[in-house]
């Protein structure tokens, strides 16, 4: 059996090893420490925001961000349907109701026209919409220009789920710097990793302070343990922050490597009728975290699952695009504003190996397996 090739395995090496060893030798093993403080400053500077709070996961950052924005049980939070479950789960943690907005078929990101429809209907019904959580899909930032204007019109704060888009931009501004606050993820498969981890970023000092407070068990600033609020154990380990700092120095190079792989896919599929590289138009602003294709089976004569099976025969990982949240059994009773776009993307999409850690021989093995399938 050939060595397995993953879609987006961690890209770590000597720099990360040296950083983690140095952190261990410093004695700062527990959560918090100088590497956490430095990682927060460095990422905030990179994204052009005033404050950053390093946390145990992107999901934790979403949860605390929503709580800090005042989301309460019984509220409605509008979010993208085309996303990973963590986005919706964090809303449920607060006791609020996730309301799913379908995708723009060209990008997979939140459909702004449908968002307006939902906001209008909920306002007219007298329901409290306490936040909008747009998701940057596969590294492409949503249309923040339009969404923030709409949010201002309706008086609803935006918490940007930029878990997948660190290093991307919109209108020349960094993903992770939009809304009242933004969230990024450092999970093992992301553009850069701290193994697990995430960060909340904001220009609002009060938001940052409250998130930091909740993340440290809502402990009062007294000598003994005093608590007046329910808190959470959500802070990042100093060791993982050291790993993240090393990764951040390599972020641009890792994005460039992923972009190279996307260009190879573009060239491979350029003359294949019925196949397009998803979101390739205007992808110079993406971080190209993952590259997916869309397959028109009536034209190609084959389904995305057939290519996935062929890749699996050579121990190469691939995966469909996210199954929309409004189609997930756990959210069967949730409200949504749909057009059929995200379900179509789920049916036609396949995500291919995209990681910056792919070696030249692994890249060629993936491309050769696809060529072999296409010429069967």
């Amino acid at each position: 059996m050939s060595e397995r090739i993953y879609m987006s395995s961690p890209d770590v090496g000597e720099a990360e090893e040296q950083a983690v060893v140095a952190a261990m030798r410093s004695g700062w093993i527990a959560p918090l420490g100088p590497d956490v403080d430095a990682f927060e400053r460095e990422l905030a500077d990179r994204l052009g925001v005033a404050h950053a709070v390093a946390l145990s996961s992107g999901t934790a950052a979403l949860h605390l961000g929503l709580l800090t924005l005042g989301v309460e049980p019984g509220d409605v939070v509008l979010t993208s349907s085309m996303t990973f479950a963590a986005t919706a789960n964090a809303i449920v943690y607060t006791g609020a109701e996730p309301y799913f907005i379908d995708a723009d078929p060209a990008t997979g990101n939140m459909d702004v026209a449908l968002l307006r429809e939902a906001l209008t209907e909920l306002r007219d019904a007298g329901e409290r919409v306490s936040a909008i959580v747009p998701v940057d899909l596969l590294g492409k930032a949503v249309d923040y220009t339009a969404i923030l204007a709409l949010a201002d019109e309706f008086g609803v704060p935006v918490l940007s789920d930029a878990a997948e888009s660190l290093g991307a931009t919109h209108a020349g501004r960094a993903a992770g710097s939009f809304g009242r606050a933004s969230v990024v993820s450092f999970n093992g498969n992301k553009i850069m990793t701290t193994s697990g981890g995430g960060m909340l970023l904001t220009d609002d000092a009060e938001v940052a302070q409250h998130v930091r407070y909740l993340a440290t068990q809502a402990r009062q600033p007294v000598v003994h343990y005093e608590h007046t609020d329910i808190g959470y154990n959500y802070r990042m380990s100093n060791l993982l922050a050291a790993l993240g700092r090393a990764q951040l120095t390599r972020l641009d190079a890792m994005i460039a490597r992923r972009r190279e792989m996307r260009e190879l896919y573009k060239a491979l599929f350029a003359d294949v009728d019925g196949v397009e590289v998803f979101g390739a138009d205007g992808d110079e602003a993406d971080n190209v975290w993952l590259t997916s294709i869309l397959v028109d089976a009536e034209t190609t004569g084959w389904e995305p699952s057939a290519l996935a099976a062929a890749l699996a025969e050579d121990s190469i990982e691939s995966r469909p695009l996210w199954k929309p949240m409004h189609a997930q059994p756990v959210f069967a009773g949730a409200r949504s504003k749909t057009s059929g776009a995200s379900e179509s993307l789920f049916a036609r999409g396949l995500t291919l190996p995209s990681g910056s850690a792919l070696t030249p021989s692994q890249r060629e093995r993936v491309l050769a397996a696809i060529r072999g399938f296409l010429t069967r």
Side-chain angles (χ1 to χ4, degrees):
M1 174 66 73
S2 300
E3 176 190 9
R4 184 158 176 76
I5 295 176
Y6 294 97
M7 287 197 311
S8 183
S9 58
D11 183 353
V12 296
E14 184 176 348
E16 289 79 5
E17 180 180 353
Q18 291 176 353
V20 172
V21 169
M24 291 180 67
R25 290 176 176 170
S26 75
W28 289 94
I29 306 299
L32 305 182
D35 281 297
V36 172
D37 296 340
F39 189 27
E40 291 175 341
R41 290 194 304 270
E42 289 160 4
L43 190 61
D45 289 345
R46 162 85 191 216
L47 301 186
V49 299
H51 307 282
V53 185
L55 298 162
S56 58
S57 67
T59 311
L62 285 168
H63 183 198
L64 298 190
L66 290 165
L67 291 175
T68 300
L69 293 184
V71 176
E72 299 177 346
D75 288 354
V76 177
V77 175
L78 298 170
T79 193
S80 305
S81 187
M82 197 71 173
T83 185
F84 180 56
T87 312
N89 289 344
I91 295 168
V92 174
Y93 297 164
T94 69
E97 173 196 352
Y99 186 124
F100 300 113
I101 306 298
D102 215 333
D104 175 336
T107 65
N109 285 329
M110 183 180 280
D111 185 315
V112 179
L114 293 180
L115 176 62
R116 174 178 284 280
E117 288 182 22
L119 284 166
T120 301
E121 291 175 8
L122 291 164
R123 179 191 60 189
D124 292 347
E127 296 193 58
R128 174 178 148 88
V129 178
S130 53
I132 300 169
V133 184
V135 179
D136 299 339
L137 186 71
L138 305 187
K140 184 184 289 292
V142 304
D143 185 351
Y144 285 106
T145 300
I147 288 177
L148 289 173
L150 197 55
D152 286 344
E153 178 184 339
F154 283 83
V156 180
V158 169
L159 176 63
S160 165
D161 185 343
E164 302 173 11
S165 62
L166 181 60
T169 61
H170 168 74
R173 181 173 160 187
S177 68
F178 292 92
R180 284 284 302 285
S182 294
V183 168
V184 296
S185 170
F186 309 122
N187 192 37
N189 66 350
K190 292 299 190 292
I191 196 86
M192 60 169 274
T193 185
T194 59
S195 177
M199 201 173 290
L200 182 134
L201 302 121
T202 182
D203 284 321
D204 189 322
E206 291 184 2
V207 168
Q209 181 181 14
H210 195 253
V211 167
R212 198 179 302 278
Y213 163 71
L214 291 178
T216 50
Q217 297 287 18
R219 181 182 174 185
Q220 295 295 313
V222 294
V223 175
H224 63 278
Y225 289 104
E226 184 83 10
H227 305 273
T228 59
D229 296 291
I230 297 296
Y232 305 87
N233 183 18
Y234 277 172
R235 290 313 312 273
M236 179 180 283
S237 157
N238 194 66
L239 297 182
L240 299 189
L243 173 61
R245 294 182 68 197
Q247 286 268 282
L248 187 57
T249 67
R250 299 179 52 233
L251 177 59
D252 292 328
M254 291 191 289
I255 291 173
R257 289 276 297 164
R258 289 176 187 260
R259 191 173 301 283
E260 290 172 1
M261 193 65 194
R262 177 167 292 184
E263 293 303 315
L264 291 172
Y265 285 132
K266 285 182 182 179
L268 178 61
F269 290 111
D271 297 323
V272 180
D273 291 339
V275 178
E276 63 176 288
V277 175
F278 178 46
D281 291 341
D283 67 2
E284 65 277 356
D286 293 11
N287 71 0
V288 291
W289 172 49
L290 295 178
T291 295
S292 303
I293 58 171
L294 298 178
V295 178
D296 179 354
E298 291 188 3
T299 301
T300 61
W302 48 269
E303 299 282 348
S305 57
L307 175 55
L311 293 174
E313 289 175 4
D314 196 16
S315 196
I316 297 170
E317 183 184 26
S318 63
R319 188 177 300 161
L321 289 170
W322 300 126
K323 182 177 181 178
M325 288 299 103
H326 72 262
Q328 294 284 354
V330 70
F331 294 116
R335 289 183 287 177
S336 59
K337 183 70 67 174
T338 63
S339 63
S342 58
E343 292 182 63
S344 175
L345 292 172
F346 173 58
R348 296 184 294 126
L350 185 69
T351 303
L352 302 171
S354 310
S356 57
L358 290 170
T359 65
S361 62
Q362 288 174 327
R363 286 183 174 189
E364 181 51 38
R365 196 173 119 204
V366 173
L367 297 173
I370 296 172
R371 289 191 204 104
F373 171 81
L374 293 174
T375 55
R376 282 181 180 177

